[in-house]
Amino acid sequence: MKKPIKKTLMIASALTIGIAVLTPLQAGAASVETTDNSSITVQLEQKITGTIKHIYDDGMNIRGRDGKNYFISFHKFSDEQIRKMKLVEGQEVSVEGNTVESFSDFFTFEVFKKDFPKEMTKEDLTILEKLFNEMKQLQKGFSKEINLTDEEIEKKHEELEKIHEEIHKITKPYTLANWQPLSFEEYMENYGFNEKNIIIKETDNVQLKAIYKEWIKLEKSGDEEKANKKYEEFDKILEPYLVALYAPPTFEEYLDDYMGDTKLNIPVETLAKLKTIYEDSQKALEEGDDELNDKLWEEFYEILYHQSIKPQTFEEYMAEFEFEVSETDSKKLKQLYEEIFALNEKEEQEKTEAKWETFHKILNPYFEANKEILISASKVTINSHDYLPLH
C-alpha cells in the first residue's frame, strides 16, 4: 500500500544525459586437473530454457521447463543489444550464464567498465578496479552488519563517499571528452512537460536555453562549482513548472489509479468522506504537518479497508501465488485465515499478528522452494538467434 508523496526536484543527475558514471547442465563449481596435477575451481554455466513471465530494463523473469523460477540479468549486455532482442512476455527463450547469490553480485567490475571509453589507460583501469572492489567489499560488509549505531552508519557512508569521489576524479575527464550533449529541445523533452500539457513561457524558454548553453560550456571545462551554480539558475526558472508537473493526483485520479474497478463497491457517502480526508492530508503535506498527514492517512486506510472493501476469500488470496500447497497445509491455512479476519473485526491486534506469524511459517517453505534462481546471462537465444555480450 502506498500513498502519494512529494517528488523531490532533483533534475541534474537524472537528466544529464551522457554524464553518468534450464535444463541445468553441471551447475555450480567443478574441480579441473591441470598438467602439474594441481586443480583449479571453475564456475560452470547453466543452460535454461523457459517462458518469459516479466521483462524489466535490466533483466527478465522466466519460468523454466524444469518448473523453477529464474531472474535473468542483462547487466553484461548493452541497451542496444537488449532492444534488438525484442523480448515479449510468453516468448520461449534459452539462456546460458552463471548463478549468483544476490542481485548485487550482478554488478561486477566488467559490467562497471563496459561503458568506459576505449581511450582509458591501463593504469587508470587498474586503479578503478581496486577502488571498485573496495566499494563492493564495504557495501557487502555493510549489508551484513546489524545493530549499527547512527555514528557507525554515518562513518561507513563517508567511506563510501570518499571512494565514489576518487572514482569520479578518474572517470570525469574521459566522460567529458566523449560527452555529446543533447540539444536544448531534446533535453527539455525528457522532463515530460508536453505529456501534462504544461507550456513554458517564451521568455522563460529563451532564458533557459541560454543558461543551458552556458552550463554545457562550464561542464566541458571541468569547472564543477561554476557549472552547479549555473544549473541552480536553470532550476530556479524551471521550479514552478516542475511543481505543476509533479502535482499530486486529485482524489478521483488517485482512487482510479490505486483501486481500479474495486472503487465501484464503495458507497457514495463513504467516497465523500474519503475525499475530504484525502484533500485535508494534501493540505497538511503542503503546510509541512507530517504528523497530521500520517494521522489522516491512517484514518483514510481504516475507512477504505475495514469499512468499504470486502476482504478476499482464502481461495482468492491463495490464487495469487504460483505454487500449490498440500491439502493438509491448505486446511490449516484456511482455518488461520478465517480466524485472522474474525479477530480483525474485534480489533484484537496482538492475536491477529500471532496468527499471521503462524500462517507465514506454514507458507515459508513453499516460498523458499519457489524462490527465483539468479542467473547472470552470458548468452540469450531467441528464435534460433544468439545474442552475446560485447567485449
Side-chain angles (χ1 to χ4, degrees):
M1 311 302 172
K2 55 186 179 181
K3 53 192 176 187
I5 58 171
K6 258 188 175 178
K7 294 201 177 183
T8 307
L9 306 180
M10 293 182 67
I11 310 117
S13 60
L15 291 174
T16 306
I17 308 301
I19 297 187
V21 271
L22 16 185
T23 305
L25 299 174
Q26 292 171 290
S31 182
V32 179
E33 294 296 326
T34 63
T35 53
D36 60 358
N37 294 324
S38 63
S39 65
I40 56 173
T41 300
V42 179
Q43 180 71 32
L44 298 177
E45 291 201 333
Q46 287 184 290
K47 182 175 180 180
I48 307 107
T49 298
T51 305
I52 300 175
K53 291 161 53 185
H54 302 291
I55 301 164
Y56 309 97
D57 290 340
D58 60 351
M60 62 183 171
N61 298 119
I62 71 170
R63 179 76 171 179
R65 285 182 183 172
D66 56 6
K68 296 179 182 179
N69 295 313
Y70 297 88
F71 176 79
I72 311 300
S73 166
F74 293 148
H75 277 80
K76 294 176 183 175
F77 294 80
S78 68
D79 292 342
E80 182 61 28
Q81 286 175 297
I82 297 168
R83 279 194 291 271
K84 285 180 179 178
M85 291 181 196
K86 295 181 179 177
L87 301 167
V88 178
E89 289 181 9
Q91 188 177 38
E92 184 170 276
V93 295
S94 291
V95 176
E96 292 179 25
N98 293 323
T99 57
V100 300
E101 290 182 7
S102 70
F103 282 92
S104 65
D105 293 332
F106 290 134
F107 192 54
T108 63
F109 183 68
E110 289 302 311
V111 171
F112 181 59
K113 73 173 188 178
K114 72 178 182 180
D115 294 322
F116 286 173
K118 294 176 183 178
E119 299 84 2
M120 189 167 282
T121 65
K122 288 182 180 179
E123 291 80 6
D124 282 343
L125 280 171
T126 301
I127 298 169
L128 285 169
E129 185 168 13
K130 180 176 178 292
L131 289 168
F132 178 86
N133 290 335
E134 286 176 11
M135 179 180 68
K136 289 282 286 186
Q137 193 66 31
L138 191 58
Q139 288 171 333
K140 194 173 183 180
F142 196 9
S143 63
K144 287 183 178 179
E145 293 185 58
I146 56 174
N147 300 324
L148 290 173
T149 64
D150 290 344
E151 189 178 338
E152 288 171 327
I153 292 170
E154 187 177 348
K155 187 178 178 182
K156 288 187 179 293
H157 279 301
E158 286 174 0
E159 289 175 29
L160 278 172
E161 187 62 33
K162 284 179 183 177
I163 294 173
H164 287 151
E165 286 174 6
E166 289 300 313
I167 290 173
H168 181 66
K169 283 179 186 176
I170 297 170
T171 58
K172 183 160 187 183
Y174 293 103
T175 307
L176 287 174
N178 288 273
W179 181 36
Q180 297 296 322
L182 293 175
S183 68
F184 172 72
E185 290 71 23
E186 290 171 322
Y187 187 79
M188 293 299 291
E189 197 174 316
N190 282 312
Y191 282 100
F193 290 122
N194 291 340
E195 295 166 20
K196 293 286 186 75
N197 295 317
I198 296 171
I199 308 298
I200 296 175
K201 294 177 185 176
E202 183 59 30
T203 51
D204 286 340
N205 205 55
V206 170
Q207 276 187 284
L208 287 167
K209 188 170 185 176
I211 293 170
Y212 179 75
K213 287 180 179 178
E214 290 178 45
W215 171 71
I216 287 174
K217 287 179 185 177
L218 290 167
E219 281 284 0
K220 284 188 172 183
S221 73
D223 193 334
E224 285 191 42
E225 190 176 342
K226 286 186 179 178
N228 290 339
K229 284 183 180 178
K230 185 56 63 176
Y231 202 89
E232 285 174 12
E233 293 178 36
F234 188 92
D235 196 23
K236 191 174 180 180
I237 297 170
L238 210 56
E239 188 174 353
Y241 301 102
L242 290 168
V243 169
L245 181 66
Y246 296 127
T250 63
F251 170 72
E252 290 75 16
E253 289 170 339
Y254 173 70
L255 210 62
D256 187 57
D257 181 55
Y258 187 68
M259 301 298 297
D261 291 337
T262 310
K263 69 180 182 297
L264 300 175
N265 300 324
I266 303 174
V268 174
E269 60 274 14
T270 305
L271 278 173
K273 189 173 183 180
L274 286 170
K275 183 174 183 177
T276 300
I277 296 169
Y278 179 85
E279 290 174 350
D280 287 345
S281 76
Q282 294 302 313
K283 187 179 178 182
L285 195 64
E286 286 174 12
E287 295 172 353
D289 193 339
D290 293 337
E291 188 177 342
L292 177 59
N293 180 53
D294 290 341
K295 186 180 177 181
L296 288 165
W297 274 108
E298 284 176 19
E299 187 181 352
F300 186 92
Y301 285 123
E302 171 67 25
I303 294 170
L304 192 60
Y305 289 105
H306 291 175
Q307 297 179 27
S308 304
I309 300 173
K310 185 180 176 182
Q312 288 177 300
T313 64
F314 171 72
E315 289 72 21
E316 288 170 337
Y317 181 84
M318 294 301 293
E320 294 183 7
F321 301 124
E322 292 185 343
F323 54 79
E324 292 183 6
V325 300
S326 69
E327 189 176 343
T328 304
D329 284 340
S330 184
K331 286 179 181 177
K332 291 179 189 174
L333 289 166
K334 184 171 184 177
Q335 183 180 342
L336 284 164
Y337 189 83
E338 290 172 352
E339 288 173 2
I340 285 165
F341 282 96
L343 287 168
N344 269 347
E345 290 178 8
K346 298 176 184 177
E347 297 186 352
E348 297 190 45
Q349 190 173 350
E350 285 187 20
K351 289 183 180 179
T352 301
E353 288 175 358
K355 294 279 184 187
W356 272 122
E357 191 174 335
T358 305
F359 186 91
H360 289 304
K361 276 183 180 176
I362 297 171
L363 268 185
N364 281 342
Y366 293 97
F367 283 119
E368 191 64 29
N370 287 272
K371 188 168 65 175
E372 286 181 330
I373 298 167
L374 307 179
I375 303 288
S376 179
S378 57
K379 180 180 176 181
V380 177
T381 304
I382 305 170
N383 297 327
S384 302
H385 187 87
D386 295 335
Y387 296 88
L388 301 168
L390 296 175
H391 298 291

